[in-house]
Amino acid sequence: SGSASLSRFRGALVAGVLGDCIGGEFEGAEEVPMESVLAHLSGLDDETKGNGVLEYSDDTAMARCVVQSLLTRTGFDEQDMARRFAKEYSASPGRGYGSGVIQVLKKLSCPRLSDVFQPARDQFNGRGSFGNGGAMRAAPFALAFSNATDVKRCARLGAMLTHSCSLGYNGAILQALAVHFSLQGGLEAPQQFINSLITEMEEVEDTDVARKDARILKEAEKPFCERLHRVKELMERSNVSIEEVISELGNGIAALHSVPTAIFCVLHCLKPLECLPQSYRGLERTIAYSLALGGDTDTIACMAGAIAGAHYGIESIPLSWIKCCEGAEDADRDAERLHALYHQMSLNN
Ligand code: F2R
Ligand code: MG
Ligand code: MG
């Protein structure tokens, strides 16, 4: 696929939904044997399982709000996006939201609320959430804006509606940047891809607020940069076990323990792996590998899926997977509209 082609947009948005729906099976599991992953995936080929039997969770529910807001407002509008998050939560509260973010979503539905960023600031005794809820819904920002500055600014503000800790919203920026570079063919040169992310995050994390949050949480001075360096080291190794990936990068609900992990999954699966069937293509490998890490599988597979989908394009996704995941066909339709918006906005720039 050519750079920023329609196929890449469709691949990114659809594979994000698939990662969420397919990954939901193992969310929270400490250990996931590869045989269980392969059995789950081969079950998706069963035709009787068509018509969206695997439901999407909060990851997709919120990403859909981001997409609808960006399309309706032809750009970023925090009031509109906040209203959509609140409305979606009250209509479908059972999508497996994080236990903290629920309070924000309830406050966002209050008609008297004047500052839509305030409920997020009040979280966790004023420290804000560092969960991956901002990052899990960040891909659409990369599909709406062609310019990296807009992608970073809007991914940050979009995340800050629920996640005011820099370790939360900077994870969203990293995820959006990974999709942004992948969309432009960046994964053709994996070393350059990771180096570009490090260069960008060096600047993103170069703020007093980020340094203070990192110090309070006893993390490295630039936590995302440090993790990306670990990704780079793991990439250079010929044999990396699942246990090492988990201990070096994490598989948890914090953005810091999941966004770099998702990026690693994509990079590691660019070539065939011995632990996976030879018949699997890149996108299938990425989703399977993300699930085998256990932990926050729906979110890691959702984020890895979006980055990988932007690289491989829609043709790489098995039709049987699309057919059995709720919201996948909607995502395919929305990707076309985002593609038009992206190219329309890049003409205006
Ligand atoms: N919530 C889940 N999974 C739990 C199981 C759900 C189950 N299947 C069900 O149906 O009930 N998954 C979803 O949550 C993650 C995204 O969470 P988000 O939006 O970031 O939420 P929150 O509440 O802001 O943060 C998550 C947790 O992280 C800890 N935390 C965050 N900031 C903290 C801080 N400053 N200090 C201390 N702890 C902090 C808390 O434990 C939060 O509850 C995704 O996985 C999505 O799939
Ligand atoms: Mg979820
Ligand atoms: Mg999750």
Side-chain angles (χ1 to χ4, degrees), residues 205-207 210-212 214-215 219-224 226:
E205 294 196 287
D206 188 18
T207 68
R211 267 186 290 272
K212 185 171 168 231
R215 199 167 48 242
E219 294 292 346
E221 196 184 337
K222 291 185 175 179
F224 283 100
E226 191 227 20

Side-chain angles (χ1 to χ4, degrees), residues 96-158:
Y97 286 85
S99 52
V101 77
I102 289 171
Q103 295 172 51
V104 180
L105 298 170
K106 285 180 180 161
K107 289 183 191 173
L108 286 178
S109 66
C110 175
R112 292 182 309 279
L113 184 72
S114 56
D115 179 355
V116 288
F117 295 104
Q118 193 54 44
R121 287 190 205 108
D122 295 339
Q123 291 295 91
F124 300 100
N125 297 317
R127 294 221 178 116
S129 172
F130 53 62
N132 55 20
M136 72 189 184
R137 60 176 194 255
F141 293 105
L143 305 178
F145 305 102
S146 58
N147 178 306
T149 308
D150 292 333
V151 172
K152 286 182 280 187
R153 182 178 60 84
C154 298
R156 178 175 183 273
L157 290 171

Side-chain angles (χ1 to χ4, degrees), residues 130-199:
F130 53 62
N132 55 20
M136 72 189 184
R137 60 176 194 255
F141 293 105
L143 305 178
F145 305 102
S146 58
N147 178 306
T149 308
D150 292 333
V151 172
K152 286 182 280 187
R153 182 178 60 84
C154 298
R156 178 175 183 273
L157 290 171
M160 284 177 84
L161 290 167
T162 50
H163 291 67
S164 75
C165 177
S166 63
L167 276 104
Y169 60 74
N170 282 345
I173 295 178
L174 176 57
Q175 168 64 9
L177 282 171
V179 177
H180 170 77
F181 287 137
S182 176
L183 202 62
Q184 292 171 349
L187 283 163
E188 306 293 340
Q191 286 294 334
Q192 206 175 312
F193 178 84
I194 192 78
N195 288 340
S196 305
L197 287 177
I198 293 173
T199 306

Side-chain angles (χ1 to χ4, degrees), residues 20 24 27 56-60 95-98 132 136 296-299 302:
D20 177 19
E27 192 187 22
Y56 62 73
S57 77
D58 56 333
D59 306 52
T60 300
R95 296 268 186 194
Y97 286 85
N132 55 20
M136 72 189 184
D296 196 359
T297 48
D298 67 332
T299 305
C302 166

Side-chain angles (χ1 to χ4, degrees), residues 1-270:
S1 311
S3 162
S5 64
L6 176 59
S7 168
R8 288 178 185 267
F9 278 71
R10 295 171 64 197
L13 212 58
V14 172
V17 175
L18 299 188
D20 177 19
C21 293
I22 298 172
E25 171 81 5
F26 303 110
E27 192 187 22
E30 243 174 66
E31 266 184 42
V32 182
M34 192 57 93
E35 302 85 77
S36 308
V37 171
L38 300 182
H40 181 47
L41 293 179
S42 64
L44 306 179
D45 294 332
D46 184 347
E47 272 177 41
T48 57
K49 288 196 177 166
N51 304 324
V53 292
L54 295 179
E55 288 181 2
Y56 62 73
S57 77
D58 56 333
D59 306 52
T60 300
M62 296 195 88
R64 286 163 65 102
C65 295
V66 172
V67 169
Q68 293 315 320
S69 183
L70 293 171
L71 288 172
T72 318
R73 306 299 302 151
T74 49
F76 181 68
D77 175 340
E78 66 264 27
Q79 307 284 339
D80 181 76
M81 202 171 282
R83 214 173 299 123
R84 286 175 191 273
F85 289 156
K87 205 169 159 204
E88 168 59 36
Y89 173 70
S90 73
S92 276
R95 296 268 186 194
Y97 286 85
S99 52
V101 77
I102 289 171
Q103 295 172 51
V104 180
L105 298 170
K106 285 180 180 161
K107 289 183 191 173
L108 286 178
S109 66
C110 175
R112 292 182 309 279
L113 184 72
S114 56
D115 179 355
V116 288
F117 295 104
Q118 193 54 44
R121 287 190 205 108
D122 295 339
Q123 291 295 91
F124 300 100
N125 297 317
R127 294 221 178 116
S129 172
F130 53 62
N132 55 20
M136 72 189 184
R137 60 176 194 255
F141 293 105
L143 305 178
F145 305 102
S146 58
N147 178 306
T149 308
D150 292 333
V151 172
K152 286 182 280 187
R153 182 178 60 84
C154 298
R156 178 175 183 273
L157 290 171
M160 284 177 84
L161 290 167
T162 50
H163 291 67
S164 75
C165 177
S166 63
L167 276 104
Y169 60 74
N170 282 345
I173 295 178
L174 176 57
Q175 168 64 9
L177 282 171
V179 177
H180 170 77
F181 287 137
S182 176
L183 202 62
Q184 292 171 349
L187 283 163
E188 306 293 340
Q191 286 294 334
Q192 206 175 312
F193 178 84
I194 192 78
N195 288 340
S196 305
L197 287 177
I198 293 173
T199 306
E200 288 282 355
M201 292 309 288
E202 282 283 350
E203 201 186 310
V204 168
E205 294 196 287
D206 188 18
T207 68
D208 290 342
V209 173
R211 267 186 290 272
K212 185 171 168 231
D213 286 343
R215 199 167 48 242
I216 292 168
L217 292 162
K218 298 189 169 53
E219 294 292 346
E221 196 184 337
K222 291 185 175 179
F224 283 100
C225 288
E226 191 227 20
R227 296 270 159 165
L228 290 172
H229 280 289
R230 291 190 200 182
V231 169
K232 221 176 134 163
E233 280 164 28
L234 290 174
M235 277 167 77
E236 281 155 13
R237 299 248 315 271
S238 52
N239 269 317
V240 185
S241 69
I242 297 258
E243 291 73 23
E244 285 171 291
V245 176
I246 298 169
S247 75
E248 286 294 305
L249 303 176
N251 62 359
I253 211 163
L256 187 63
H257 303 153
S258 50
V259 184
T261 312
I263 292 169
F264 175 76
C265 289
V266 178
L267 290 162
H268 192 57
C269 294
L270 286 170

